[in-house]
């Protein structure tokens, strides 16, 4: 078709039909290129944030974050403090405790909040909202169990500590592990069919707990043993387990 009458009236010169079609094709091509560049820029990955994890020279509540960083292949600064360093840092932390994670200079604390943030960055938080909630359920269940092992950790009297260990291993731990065994799949995952931070946290928790309450706690637990195997078979975690410092806790 010929150029619209309004377009022809605004042109200070006469435009033939072939010339008009050529110009229209040019602008269509230019628009297509602009849209392509816009889409390319929109899909270009943003700069990865810088992470600085600060904890004591031990595994404890800081190890989940380290394992998640390893699983996701995410670079971070692993800062370990003690003594005077911690006393100087303590008033500057949100709640006067460790671990803390600084993301591009912004500080957050609480190990579960830190773990959830890293899990999302690593793609280990669950593929759907429901999967994410199920992962949180496992995390919270482990936190509840952790509160029950804490008295053993802080008890100074060796006789009382031995009594607490006996009660925990005989009465508290077995039914708790039975619950987790049922929640884990036959493939060894707590959520879906791939590794999530729920699996990694179970691995970290069992390792920490076994340091204070030794024993073959997963004997006969087929699903939970598979969970442990799935975690250690992750390439990043396997590398970290070989290289991480040997610490007292």
């Amino acid at each position: 078709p010929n150029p619209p009458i309004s377009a022809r009236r605004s042109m200070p010169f006469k435009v033939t039909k072939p010339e008009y079609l050529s110009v229209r094709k040019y602008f269509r091509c230019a628009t297509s290129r602009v849209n392509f560049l816009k889409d390319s820029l929109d899909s270009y990955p943003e700069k990865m944030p810088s992470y600085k994890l600060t904890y004591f020279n031990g595994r404890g509540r800081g190890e989940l974050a380290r394992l998640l960083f390893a699983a996701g292949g995410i670079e971070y600064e692993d800062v370990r403090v003690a003594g005077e360093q911690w006393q100087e840092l303590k008033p500057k932390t949100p709640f006067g405790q460790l671990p803390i994670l600084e993301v591009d200079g912004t500080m957050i604390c609480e190990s579960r909040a830190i773990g959830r943030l890293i899990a999302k960055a690593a793609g280990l938080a669950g593929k759907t909202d429901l999967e994410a909630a199920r992962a949180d359920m496992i995390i919270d269940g482990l936190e509840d169990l952790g509160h029950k092992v804490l008295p053993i950790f802080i008890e100074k009297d060796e006789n009382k500590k031995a009594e607490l260990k006996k009660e925990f291993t005989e009465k508290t731990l077995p039914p708790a592990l039975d619950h987790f065994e049922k929640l884990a799949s036959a493939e060894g995952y707590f959520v879906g069919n791939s590794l999530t931070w729920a699996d990694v946290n179970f691995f970290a928790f069992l390792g920490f707990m076994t340091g204070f309450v030794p024993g073959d706690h997963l004997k006969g637990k087929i699903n939970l043993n598979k969970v442990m195997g799935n975690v250690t078979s992750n390439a990043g975690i396997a590398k970290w387990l070989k290289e991480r410092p040997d610490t007292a806790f």
Side-chain angles (χ1 to χ4, degrees), residues 110-131:
E110 295 293 344
S111 58
R112 283 179 292 174
I114 291 170
R116 188 175 294 106
L117 177 69
I118 302 170
K120 289 179 179 178
L124 298 172
K127 298 175 183 177
T128 65
D129 289 344
L130 188 57
E131 285 194 357

Side-chain angles (χ1 to χ4, degrees), residues 34-46:
V34 169
N35 289 335
F36 172 77
L37 289 172
K38 181 179 180 299
D39 291 341
S40 297
L41 290 173
D42 289 343
S43 63
Y44 193 82
E46 297 181 3

Side-chain angles (χ1 to χ4, degrees), residues 10-244:
S10 64
M11 296 177 181
F13 51 85
K14 186 177 180 180
V15 178
T16 65
K17 180 177 179 180
E19 289 174 334
Y20 169 73
L21 293 176
S22 179
V23 169
R24 187 171 68 172
K25 182 178 180 181
Y26 168 79
F27 279 108
R28 281 183 176 175
C29 183
T31 302
S32 177
R33 289 178 179 178
V34 169
N35 289 335
F36 172 77
L37 289 172
K38 181 179 180 299
D39 291 341
S40 297
L41 290 173
D42 289 343
S43 63
Y44 193 82
E46 297 181 3
K47 179 184 176 182
M48 285 292 291
S50 65
Y51 296 101
K52 179 181 177 182
L53 178 70
T54 303
Y55 190 61
F56 304 110
N57 186 29
R59 296 169 190 174
R61 287 188 173 272
E63 194 65 8
L64 172 61
R66 297 181 186 123
L67 288 166
L68 291 171
F69 276 131
I74 301 173
E75 293 185 3
Y76 71 104
E77 185 179 356
D78 186 10
V79 179
R80 301 175 183 235
V81 298
E84 293 182 2
Q85 287 179 305
W86 167 230
Q87 294 307 315
E88 182 180 346
L89 176 62
K90 188 174 182 178
K92 302 174 185 177
T93 63
F95 294 136
Q97 61 189 34
L98 295 178
I100 56 172
L101 179 68
E102 294 173 70
V103 186
D104 289 336
T106 299
M107 184 184 295
I108 63 171
C109 71
E110 295 293 344
S111 58
R112 283 179 292 174
I114 291 170
R116 188 175 294 106
L117 177 69
I118 302 170
K120 289 179 179 178
L124 298 172
K127 298 175 183 177
T128 65
D129 289 344
L130 188 57
E131 285 194 357
R134 184 176 172 85
D136 286 345
M137 177 186 74
I138 299 299
I139 301 296
D140 291 346
L142 289 168
E143 182 72 10
D144 290 343
L145 185 56
H147 287 314
K148 296 174 182 177
V149 76
L150 186 61
I152 301 173
F153 177 68
I154 62 177
E155 179 58 58
K156 302 300 182 183
D157 185 281
E158 291 302 321
N159 290 328
K160 290 182 179 179
K161 185 186 288 285
E163 292 176 4
L164 290 172
K165 284 184 179 181
K166 187 175 187 298
E167 182 178 0
F168 180 80
T169 54
E170 293 181 0
K171 297 181 180 180
T172 305
L173 186 58
L177 290 178
D178 286 342
H179 289 310
F180 285 111
E181 172 72 6
K182 293 176 183 177
L183 289 167
S185 70
E187 290 74 31
Y189 300 108
F190 283 116
V191 181
N193 58 1
S194 60
L195 196 71
T196 65
W197 74 303
D199 307 311
V200 178
N201 195 21
F202 182 83
F203 174 86
F205 174 83
L206 194 74
F208 176 76
M209 182 195 70
T210 303
F212 296 97
V213 189
D216 186 8
H217 303 302
L218 297 187
K219 184 177 181 180
K221 300 291 188 294
I222 298 174
N223 296 344
L224 291 179
N225 276 295
K226 288 184 179 179
V227 170
M228 300 293 282
N230 286 333
V231 173
T232 56
S233 65
N234 175 274
I237 290 179
K239 183 174 183 293
W240 170 247
L241 294 177
K242 290 180 180 179
E243 298 175 351
R244 68 181 179 181

